Amino acid sequence: MTEAKWSFKRLIELYDEILSHNHKTEIKRELRDEDDLFLLLCFSELLGIPNPVSYYTLELYPSILEKFHDWHLRMGMEKSPLEGIRCC
Amino acid sequence: MSSLLLAVVGISIFLLGYRYYAKFIAEKIYKIDSNFTTPAHKYKDGIDFVPTNRFVLWGHHYSSVAGAAPIVGPAIAVYWGWVPAVIWVLLGTVFAAGVHDFGALVLSVRNKGQSVGTIANKLIGHRAKILFLFIILILVLMVNAVFAWVIANLFVNFPASVLSIFIQIPLAIWIGYAVYKKSRSMLLPSIVALAFMYGAAVLASRFEFLQIDLVKWFGGEETTVMFGLNGVSMAFFVWIIVLMVYVYFASTLPVWKLLQPRDYINSHQLVLGLVILYLGVLFTNPTITAPAVNSGADISMWPLLFITIACGAISGFHGLVASGTSSKQLDKETDAKFVGYLGAVGEGMLALLAIIAVTTFFATGADFSAAYNSFAAASAGGLGNFIGGAGVLASGVGIPAYIASTIVAVIVISFAATSLDTSVRLMRYIISELGTEYKIPALTKAHVATSIAVGTSAMLVLLPEGPNGFGSGGYLLWPLFGTSNQLLAGITLLLVSIWLKKQGRNFMPTFIPMVFVLFMTVWAMGKQVIFDWSGAGTADTNILLFVFGALILGFALWIVAEAFKVLSQKQDPSDMDRIA
């Protein structure tokens, strides 16, 4: 540690650092776990691991359908290019 | 005797211990090296392994180990007079606790930051790891029962403190969310929370309708409420059930939601409490009225004193914190002396303060002897006397004594509640680990393990009968808590000794305290199990205490056997690689 000049502000900072030390670690751990889960959900199929959430994300199908239809029209395709999605 | 003089002498001995004995241990025994690459650097991951400034690490280490235990133990142990208690706290801290905490830290740093349990597995074998798990299991079970009793007892005796404690829970949850979701600093919100709590304490001390006094609601000691329980028994019963329900939720929630924000508020309380009470000693310099030695004790201080004061003289729990988290964050190996040894010194200072508060509380020596007329009375009333005494000390800095008592009760309950949360959580982990070990998958489920932890703890605290009936006898478990804590310290000291022996160094500085604590434990448990609890002596059989006492005695003998076996072996050169 570089020996900073002793001041009241520095003392308060040190005190805060001591007290929040543990808490910050746990928050970081929580965020890391969340991140790990997110990465797994996004990329598991790319890695050849069956994605456990696709069963639930199927529920999103109706809401994405219209957007998809607009998209393929915009792109100059009259019919849906994907077999799995049958908007028209 | 002037208490200020005692405080000055005590603190000087602690500091001399740090200046000379810790230096000797660091240079000649543990041979710590500032160039050694600590696990914090080697395995740096930004979460568990983080090189941390030694002041920050010390503060964190100290606030993790300091709790209600170094207050309760000394408040009971002054029964034998203040001199034996002070001597044990001073010598224990300098020669046992300091070396133990420092040793656990160095041992873990030299073993990739692993915990004492894993190191036991490596140094002695699988058997040692199982032994270790069972010792911790019994320790946390005792902590749960004892601290549930401590809190219930304080709720019954200091009804003005209840409101503040219950206000703390939603405030802590709010802080937890504010910090997690909006990454705010905890400093200001936690000070506001503390202000609310103390505000509630002040109001509740003044206005009786804010006091949650279950004994009064149930109609006092004379009324039978239900199941043949009187008002006091019923109050104990209700509080213990409430605490167990609370702790079930607290220990299954993520730590950042409740446990840590509460810890944060409690750290303010620790600092504030220590500062106010030491200032109180400085300003008022009260006279110690308690007798130096109690010549008419109904039970000998040998060996009971040495297990009554566990935390504050030597505590195995520190080894868990040192090897569990602190060792992973040590920036330089040389910081281990500062963090480990001074962590123990901080605990010793808390114990010294507890002794001063209790021994200055009574106007005359006769008053003290009347309150401490038997060991049972000392055990049941010690903590209440500490709170009274601390209230008087705090009045030295201008806080009215009746408000100060409520606030001190709030502080002690907060500490005890944190210990309770943490140890129920720890018990859940150990039950899961034993489930994996013995292939019982049901035990690895969080809610199954927590239910078992909470259920057994509740049974244990409710069973012993005290003078106030059902549930009020939890203090009978205190010696069992002390011994299981000493056993844990014994096993850590054994591991450090084995490590030192394998390095070809003098292992006496850790071996002698180990022999001492194990000897006292075996003596105390042997004596109590055979003469007090088995029914063979004059006292009636007490199955509960007998079973737990016998278990602890068995574990202690087991450690002695392991120690004898390992330390009598000739040095095996191939072992050097395993440990280096």
Side-chain angles (χ1 to χ4, degrees):
Chain A
M1 164 185 143
T2 48
E3 289 295 329
K5 254 191 188 171
W6 280 108
S7 66
F8 187 64
K9 196 170 162 242
R10 171 79 192 116
L11 201 67
I12 297 288
E13 275 170 12
L14 184 72
Y15 179 68
D16 187 40
E17 216 180 317
I18 288 173
L19 265 50
S20 55
H21 183 67
N22 213 9
H23 195 79
K24 281 184 189 151
T25 307
E26 280 318 314
I27 300 275
K28 274 190 222 152
R29 194 193 309 283
E30 191 80 12
L31 292 176
R32 184 187 63 178
D33 289 351
E34 230 171 62
D35 219 37
D36 289 349
L37 188 65
F38 181 72
L39 280 180
L40 186 72
L41 294 184
C42 290
F43 301 124
S44 66
E45 287 196 332
L46 286 179
L47 303 171
I49 306 165
N51 192 336
V53 290
S54 52
Y55 178 77
Y56 301 96
T57 46
L58 194 61
E59 284 185 23
L60 300 173
Y61 181 71
S63 28
I64 205 84
L65 207 59
E66 263 181 46
K67 278 199 170 181
F68 184 79
H69 180 69
D70 292 347
W71 174 78
H72 75 73
L73 289 182
R74 244 188 352 259
M75 292 297 128
M77 291 174 271
E78 270 182 38
K79 296 278 175 194
S80 160
L82 296 178
E83 258 186 53
I85 302 184
R86 304 182 167 279
C87 46
C88 50
Chain B
M1 169 85 182
S2 140
S3 58
L4 185 57
L5 185 66
L6 178 64
V8 170
V9 169
I11 292 170
S12 309
I13 289 177
F14 287 147
L15 294 180
L16 287 175
Y18 177 70
R19 176 75 182 76
Y20 295 103
Y21 192 57
K23 185 164 180 271
F24 161 75
I25 296 286
E27 287 172 2
K28 300 282 190 273
I29 308 292
Y30 298 154
K31 297 193 175 166
I32 50 176
D33 174 7
S34 60
N35 293 320
F36 180 79
T37 313
T38 56
H41 288 282
K42 204 167 173 185
Y43 308 107
K44 194 169 170 181
D45 67 355
I47 293 176
D48 291 308
F49 294 89
V50 188
T52 306
N53 170 331
R54 65 182 177 151
F55 292 97
V56 172
L57 195 58
W58 174 81
H60 165 236
H61 179 83
Y62 178 47
S63 61
S64 308
V65 298
I71 297 172
V72 183
I76 299 172
V78 289
Y79 168 65
W80 291 288
W82 60 267
V83 171
V86 167
I87 292 178
W88 169 229
V89 165
L90 294 181
L91 295 185
T93 300
V94 170
F95 293 106
V99 177
H100 167 273
D101 297 13
F102 181 11
L105 204 46
V106 174
L107 183 69
S108 175
V109 165
R110 290 276 165 163
N111 283 281
K112 304 175 184 166
Q114 286 165 334
S115 71
V116 184
T118 316
I119 298 171
N121 195 10
K122 212 161 87 177
L123 282 181
I124 307 181
H126 190 63
R127 220 173 43 242
K129 191 188 156 195
I130 299 293
L131 168 67
F132 184 77
L133 277 181
F134 275 111
I135 290 179
I136 304 185
L137 183 67
I138 210 160
L139 173 66
V140 291
L141 183 62
M142 292 301 153
V143 171
N144 296 345
V146 164
F147 287 101
W149 173 79
V150 163
I151 299 171
N153 184 38
L154 293 177
F155 277 170
V156 167
N157 289 312
F158 296 89
S161 64
V162 180
L163 188 64
S164 304
I165 296 296
F166 282 91
I167 283 185
Q168 192 183 19
I169 300 168
L171 286 172
I173 293 176
W174 165 66
I175 294 176
Y177 269 97
V179 175
Y180 181 60
K181 297 286 178 202
K182 299 183 182 157
S183 5
R184 282 202 206 137
S185 158
M186 260 197 275
L187 187 62
L188 203 62
S190 60
I191 289 175
V192 172
L194 196 64
F196 269 108
M197 284 171 64
Y198 286 175
V202 170
L203 289 177
S205 307
R206 272 175 189 248
F207 304 108
E208 213 171 297
F209 70 94
L210 287 173
Q211 301 178 3
I212 302 173
D213 190 350
L214 288 190
V215 178
K216 213 170 89 188
W217 290 1
F218 288 132
E221 213 171 320
E222 290 77 31
T223 342
T224 306
V225 186
M226 54 170 100
F227 317 123
L229 297 177
N230 68 25
V232 182
S233 302
M234 198 63 203
F236 265 101
F237 179 71
V238 170
W239 279 134
I240 286 167
I241 298 299
V242 167
L243 282 169
M244 288 298 155
V245 171
Y246 158 75
V247 90
Y248 186 97
F249 288 104
S251 64
T252 42
L253 283 174
V255 281
W256 58 266
K257 275 193 186 156
L258 174 61
L259 190 66
Q260 286 189 333
R262 260 212 12 225
D263 268 356
Y264 195 96
I265 303 174
N266 290 347
S267 304
H268 292 315
Q269 302 204 66
L270 175 68
V271 176
L272 201 70
L274 275 173
V275 169
I276 288 184
L277 297 185
Y278 267 107
L279 280 181
V281 174
L282 183 68
F283 291 156
T284 58
N285 186 15
T287 308
I288 296 178
T289 52
V293 179
N294 178 1
S295 49
D298 62 346
I299 188 166
S300 168
M301 68 175 233
W302 301 92
L304 223 50
L305 166 68
F306 303 92
I307 55 170
T308 304
I309 306 184
C311 298
I314 176 165
S315 152
F317 180 69
H318 295 199
L320 293 185
V321 176
S323 70
T325 49
S326 305
S327 64
K328 297 179 176 69
Q329 305 180 338
L330 216 56
D331 183 19
K332 284 188 199 144
E333 199 186 30
T334 39
D335 292 348
K337 184 177 85 163
F338 184 85
V339 174
Y341 201 92
L342 284 188
V345 164
E347 191 92 325
M349 279 177 66
L350 197 56
L352 191 63
L353 189 64
I355 294 175
I356 291 175
V358 177
T359 53
T360 56
F361 177 45
F362 296 94
T364 63
D367 290 348
F368 178 89
S369 302
Y372 280 79
N373 60 9
S374 67
F375 183 62
S379 303
L383 193 56
N385 296 332
F386 165 77
I387 291 172
V392 176
L393 287 180
S395 62
V397 286
I399 305 169
Y402 72 102
I403 291 176
S405 292
T406 307
I407 290 180
V408 175
V410 169
I411 294 179
V412 177
I413 296 170
S414 308
F415 287 175
T418 305
S419 304
L420 190 63
D421 277 4
T422 316
S423 87
V424 171
R425 188 179 287 271
L426 214 57
M427 189 164 169
R428 172 186 128 198
Y429 294 153
I430 295 162
I431 292 173
S432 300
E433 201 163 336
L434 287 171
T436 317
E437 194 70 48
Y438 291 107
K439 305 203 169 47
I440 312 171
L443 293 184
T444 56
K445 303 248 183 305
H447 288 280
V448 176
T450 312
S451 304
I452 295 176
V454 170
T456 48
S457 309
M459 265 164 52
L460 188 59
V461 61
L462 286 172
L463 281 175
E465 283 257 355
N468 280 322
F470 191 55
S472 67
Y475 64 83
L476 290 173
L477 300 167
W478 185 259
L480 293 176
F481 162 73
T483 41
S484 40
N485 205 351
Q486 304 290 45
L487 279 188
L488 195 57
I491 198 167
T492 306
L493 286 168
L494 170 65
L495 292 172
V496 180
S497 304
I498 295 173
W499 174 68
L500 288 173
K501 181 173 180 267
K502 295 200 169 177
Q503 307 282 320
R505 296 190 206 145
N506 175 10
F507 56 89
M508 286 302 146
T510 52
F511 188 68
I512 292 170
M514 180 200 92
V515 171
F516 185 81
V517 293
L518 288 180
F519 180 71
M520 288 303 166
T521 298
V522 171
W523 185 3
M525 283 298 107
K527 194 172 150 211
Q528 289 189 295
V529 165
I530 297 167
F531 297 108
D532 298 346
W533 300 331
S534 72
T538 46
D540 292 339
T541 315
N542 189 329
I543 295 287
L544 182 79
L545 298 180
F546 176 76
V547 169
F548 280 105
L551 266 177
I552 292 174
L553 184 61
F555 287 142
L557 294 173
W558 187 350
I559 301 179
V560 172
E562 292 284 357
F564 187 73
K565 193 167 150 248
V566 179
L567 289 170
S568 62
Q569 276 169 357
K570 285 251 154 47
Q571 197 165 314
D572 177 3
S574 66
D575 281 346
M576 297 288 282
D577 312 325
R578 277 203 301 167
I579 341 266

